[in-house]
Amino acid sequence: MMRAVVADGTGGPEVLKVIWRPVPQPKDGEILVKVGVAGVNRPDVAQRQGGYPPPPGAPDILGLEIAGEVVAAGSGATRFSIGTPVMALVPGGGYADYAVAHESNALPVPQGLSLEEAGAIPETYFTVWTNVFDRGRLQSGETLLVHGGTSGIGTTAIQLAKAFGATVIATAGSPEKCEACLRLGADVAVNYRTQDFVAAVKEATGGRGADVILDMVGGDYISRNYEAAAQDGRIVQIAFLGGGKAEVDFRRLMVKRLTHTGSTLRPRSAAEKAAIARSLESRVWPLLAEGRCRPVMDSAFALEDVAQAHARMDGGEHIGKIVLRL
Ligand SMILES: NC(=O)c1ccc[n+]([C@@H]2O[C@H](COP(=O)([O-])OP(=O)(O)OC[C@H]3O[C@@H](n4cnc5c(N)ncnc54)[C@H](OP(=O)(O)O)[C@@H]3O)[C@@H](O)[C@H]2O)c1
């Protein structure tokens, strides 16, 4: 048996319960990981609140990313030997002593990275790669506008975009958060509570606008993103924290030849996630090993204190990643 966290109903952090469950068994192509660290992500909050149920076949145990040691392998899972430290994207089940991952969705822990840092990587790195670089096609020399610059996603996007030669403009909700964005390498940080991000983007780009926009806000940001985008700009939607409905003048989309797209990671097949993992391993893992990008660690909590970890995320004062220690 193992400890695992489930939501007993929907609501605030108090619905999270540590219970006992049987240790899962790896199937064909899967590995069993003794979890050392599980990352906490806003989609976990959305699941707790009842707005993001696990996809069919995924465990009801919360948690989308883990780092730990391989302790067993199903048939056909031959890449990692027993005892290897790995990090993995999982469709659920991360907040537990043991979790099953598809071997192709697991990656080695680069040298120099702690297990705590490794557990804070998969969900945001997979998401940023597939949205900013695959869908958004961000190129060296282009400008990325990233909203929520100090979120787990935002801190990852700033570092990766800079590492690949882009100019980065980040938005955040306080002077302290803007400072953090600049420390991470953002060229410009916009406090959206006191500044109009559209005007700031225009000013920073000599009137051109941003080539790629990574947006988790939606709502009235949709038409403002159209204003802030450059000709042939790509806008990638990964969440709608500010609402999924908006009144938009779509003429701007046509006139600027914009592409407005979006995606969610969790329901995608293991094979699709494996393709993202392969790109990350060849393009980004060398950067992690060289220390050119690093997860920004906000705080770590014991599994029993999972409600406190979620309360910290609900409070919105965190900068970077919150993790659970198993
Ligand atoms: N589509 C996908 O595949 C995918 C995958 C992973 C995550 N996501 C989404 O990406 C977003 C970031 O995830 P994360 O784990 O990095 O979250 P996080 O660290 O909790 O960051 C969320 C940030 O969004 C900003 N924000 C702006 N408007 C907000 C609002 N109305 N309510 C709450 N926060 C607001 C907050 O910063 P300020 O104080 O600066 O406003 C906050 O720091 C989440 O919405 C998550 O669901 C999508």
Side-chain angles (χ1 to χ4, degrees):
M1 299 293 280
M2 64 173 191
R3 296 171 304 159
V5 175
V6 294
D8 183 15
T10 58
E14 70 284 353
V15 303
L16 297 174
K17 298 283 182 279
V18 181
I19 58 162
W20 291 93
R21 278 280 175 86
V23 174
Q25 295 306 307
K27 299 195 190 78
D28 197 19
E30 292 178 342
I31 52 173
L32 179 67
V33 178
K34 183 174 187 331
V35 180
V37 175
V40 175
N41 293 283
R42 193 154 290 262
D44 307 342
V45 169
Q47 177 173 341
R48 188 199 78 211
Q49 292 169 335
Y52 196 50
D60 61 342
I61 300 166
L62 277 85
L64 301 173
E65 62 183 351
I66 54 168
E69 196 178 290
V70 178
V71 290
S75 57
T78 53
R79 177 173 182 191
F80 301 108
S81 46
I82 304 302
T84 308
V86 293
M87 60 180 105
L89 189 71
V90 291
Y95 294 8
D97 287 317
Y98 293 88
V100 153
H102 199 278
E103 185 188 45
S104 64
N105 297 177
L107 288 154
V109 177
Q111 236 178 358
L113 220 64
S114 69
L115 203 62
E116 202 149 298
E117 290 172 308
I121 285 179
E123 177 70 11
T124 64
Y125 275 65
F126 276 67
T127 300
V128 168
W129 188 261
T130 190
N131 288 293
V132 172
F133 294 91
D134 287 342
R135 302 189 88 75
R137 306 185 307 280
L138 182 69
Q139 304 293 319
S140 173
E142 289 192 326
T143 297
L144 171 73
L145 168 63
V146 52
H147 293 301
T150 56
S151 62
I153 295 283
T155 52
T156 304
I158 292 170
Q159 293 181 70
L160 290 188
K162 285 307 294 177
F164 284 94
T167 297
V168 177
I169 303 170
T171 68
S174 71
E176 295 73 30
K177 287 185 169 187
C178 286
E179 274 301 315
C181 293
L182 295 172
R183 275 199 305 277
L184 280 172
D187 299 274
V188 178
V190 183
N191 181 346
Y192 67 82
R193 295 188 200 277
T194 56
Q195 275 174 283
D196 171 19
F197 75 78
V198 176
V201 169
K202 290 283 170 64
E203 190 188 326
T205 57
R208 246 187 103 254
D211 301 288
V212 179
I213 301 178
L214 182 65
D215 184 29
M216 59 187 70
V217 180
D220 72 350
Y221 272 33
I222 294 177
S223 60
R224 295 168 72 199
N225 285 338
Y226 286 8
E227 279 186 69
Q231 292 281 338
D232 293 303
R234 289 86 69 196
I235 298 158
V236 191
Q237 213 66 56
I238 56 162
F240 290 93
L241 291 169
K245 294 191 175 152
E247 195 171 308
V248 181
D249 184 345
F250 285 103
R251 282 174 297 188
R252 205 168 264 125
L253 175 135
M254 176 180 69
V255 171
K256 286 188 171 178
R257 301 184 296 276
L258 302 178
T259 302
H260 190 175
T261 181
S263 75
T264 54
L265 182 63
R266 190 180 190 183
R268 293 165 85 172
S269 68
E272 286 175 283
K273 292 171 186 168
I276 303 169
R278 284 195 296 274
S279 297
L280 281 171
E281 192 166 359
S282 66
R283 307 282 308 278
V284 176
W285 258 226
L287 302 177
L288 280 168
E290 289 165 18
R292 290 181 57 202
C293 53
R294 263 283 183 295
V296 175
M297 307 306 291
D298 177 81
S299 46
F301 294 83
L303 187 75
E304 281 70 22
D305 297 327
V306 61
Q308 286 176 36
H310 270 232
R312 170 117 189 112
M313 184 161 270
D314 285 359
E317 282 180 13
H318 62 291
I319 291 178
K321 295 284 303 193
I322 301 167
V323 294
L324 298 172
R325 292 193 189 118
L326 276 301

